[in-house]
Amino acid sequence: MSLLVVGTMAFDALETPFGKVDRIIGGSATYVAWSASNFYHDIKQVSIIGGDFPQSEIDNLAARGVDFAGVEVVKDGKSFFWSGRYHMDMNTRDTLVTDLNVLAQFNPTLPESYRDSEIVMLGNLVPAVQMSVLNQMRQRPKLVIMDTMNFWMEVALDDLKKVLTMVDVLMVNDSEARELSGEHSLVKAAMKIQAMGPKYLIIKKGEHGALLFHEKNVFYAPALPLEDVFDPTGAGDTFAGGFVGHIARTKDISFENMKTAIIVGSALASFCVEKFGPTRLQELTKEEIDQRIKEFVELVNFDIINVA
Ligand code: AMP
């Protein structure tokens, strides 16, 4: 199923308890593309970058089947810049800097070849731009998936709520689900959010895994207990990329297949956190991915014996 991805392509400065980098490639659409391209090789990327974005990074993604016709390059502009610092538990972080730079003028016009995409992955981005992408599709895509963050709930809640009415699957973390719904219970939050539009809700809980809600059904996927978590940046987008890449490859948008997609997304995210930025994703082999998916299956596979 053809796949369109929209989101940021950026430079990040990151600080974790284990180290620091001043300038590394990042952005929601960058991580989604690196992750999804392990499974699907016709990804129509929509983003905006400055003349400072390295050509080698574009070439590496293009070689994996990522189409850059929808990525605007502002030659004399600077790419989006984000800086964050993680706390000791690595589940919480402070945003230190968000410099929109070229993102402030982002008003994408989709290439003709993009407008029939069957799956649209709205990576974390200004809600008005997410909406504009959906409005340019020739027909309603078969599946619209949206990621967002608390930042947009605070500065663009009305637009965010409008996009939600156009979305099938929303991905947020637990604190964002609580903020959006005003409910502490994630079960109540899930019901309220489904009433806002998305019939499927994925709540990511960092090192505690992810929950998939659909009507009265709930599925839980754990996160793999890892010895070392070096840098969680991009884990959410990498999860989204694995999820959407699996769905695009299998052409199956059922709840049952979304369960597998969540395991695939969790496996990819578990690699992402092992090194700074997208470094680990950039060196990943198919054998490593297959092996890790098996480890996930073993983690939750058990027989119940002698319970009564
Ligand atoms: P994640 O850790 O999955 O939330 O994603 C982190 C990535 O999102 C970083 O590479 C940032 O460049 C990017 N990012 C941070 N803030 C924003 C924002 N407000 N809008 C879009 N992308 C962002």
Side-chain angles (χ1 to χ4, degrees):
M1 284 170 101
S2 43
L3 171 61
L4 183 155
V5 173
V6 57
T8 49
M9 297 188 76
F11 285 112
D12 292 341
L14 309 168
E15 204 180 318
T16 81
F18 306 106
K20 197 170 179 282
V21 277
D22 288 337
R23 196 170 158 87
I24 192 165
I25 293 303
S28 52
T30 306
Y31 283 101
V32 172
W34 270 104
S35 180
S37 57
N38 286 295
F39 308 98
Y40 191 74
H41 310 292
D42 179 14
I43 299 175
K44 304 200 177 312
Q45 191 88 336
V46 181
S47 194
I48 187 166
I49 52 179
D52 53 357
F53 201 85
Q55 186 60 41
S56 58
E57 298 287 339
I58 296 173
D59 294 343
N60 289 341
L61 280 173
R64 295 169 68 94
V66 180
D67 182 349
F68 275 77
V71 177
E72 187 182 340
V73 186
V74 183
K75 282 245 152 37
D76 52 359
K78 281 163 75 179
S79 301
F80 176 67
F81 175 77
W82 177 79
S83 162
R85 183 193 293 139
Y86 289 85
H87 298 200
M88 197 58 205
D89 71 359
M90 299 285 243
N91 274 338
T92 48
R93 70 184 177 201
D94 296 326
T95 288
L96 305 177
V97 182
T98 300
D99 281 340
L100 294 180
N101 297 328
V102 292
L103 196 63
Q105 66 189 73
F106 190 33
N107 184 15
T109 302
L110 296 189
E112 283 304 314
S113 58
Y114 279 42
R115 294 180 191 228
D116 293 310
S117 301
E118 293 164 292
I119 304 181
V120 172
M121 172 73 229
L122 302 171
N124 182 22
L125 188 70
V126 199
V129 174
Q130 293 178 318
M131 190 159 26
S132 141
V133 167
L134 289 181
N135 285 335
Q136 292 178 58
M137 303 304 291
R138 256 190 286 273
Q139 61 268 321
R140 195 199 187 279
K142 294 207 171 95
L143 194 69
V144 178
I145 301 154
M146 176 191 186
D147 187 7
T148 188
M149 72 189 294
N150 48 358
F151 180 76
W152 302 116
M153 293 173 198
E154 281 139 35
V155 305
L157 186 61
D158 287 348
D159 280 351
L160 182 70
K161 284 193 170 166
K162 276 186 212 145
V163 191
L164 281 177
T165 65
M166 305 160 87
V167 162
D168 300 300
V169 185
L170 176 69
M171 293 180 176
V172 280
N173 68 32
D174 44 359
S175 69
E176 290 157 352
R178 291 188 170 113
E179 183 167 341
L180 184 60
S181 63
E183 292 286 350
H184 182 78
S185 149
L186 292 181
V187 175
K188 286 185 184 158
M191 285 191 291
K192 274 205 178 166
I193 293 171
Q194 287 184 71
M196 295 177 187
K199 293 292 161 260
Y200 300 85
L201 173 68
I202 295 172
I203 299 183
K204 298 168 287 179
K205 291 166 64 64
E207 63 173 329
H208 305 298
L211 293 157
L212 167 65
F213 292 89
H214 173 54
E215 295 168 351
K216 296 269 175 218
N217 304 309
V218 192
F219 172 71
Y220 171 68
L224 200 67
L226 294 171
E227 242 170 79
D228 296 306
V229 174
F230 200 69
D231 167 27
T233 307
D237 308 310
T238 303
F239 173 92
F243 179 89
V244 84
H246 173 79
I247 302 262
R249 184 179 70 78
T250 53
K251 305 183 176 65
D252 175 354
I253 60 172
S254 68
F255 180 72
E256 282 308 307
N257 196 42
M258 281 188 198
K259 292 183 184 176
T260 306
I262 283 192
I263 299 292
V264 173
S266 302
L268 267 287
S270 76
F271 285 114
C272 177
V273 303
E274 289 180 345
K275 290 191 177 172
F276 265 122
T279 316
R280 184 71 177 99
L281 298 178
Q282 294 172 332
E283 62 189 26
L284 211 49
T285 64
K286 181 170 183 318
E287 290 67 35
E288 286 177 309
I289 296 173
D290 291 346
Q291 175 57 31
R292 191 146 298 181
I293 290 174
K294 266 198 211 137
E295 287 173 38
F296 265 88
V297 174
E298 279 159 24
L299 187 65
V300 287
N301 202 359
F302 59 91
D303 293 323
I304 293 192
I305 44 171
N306 296 333
V307 279

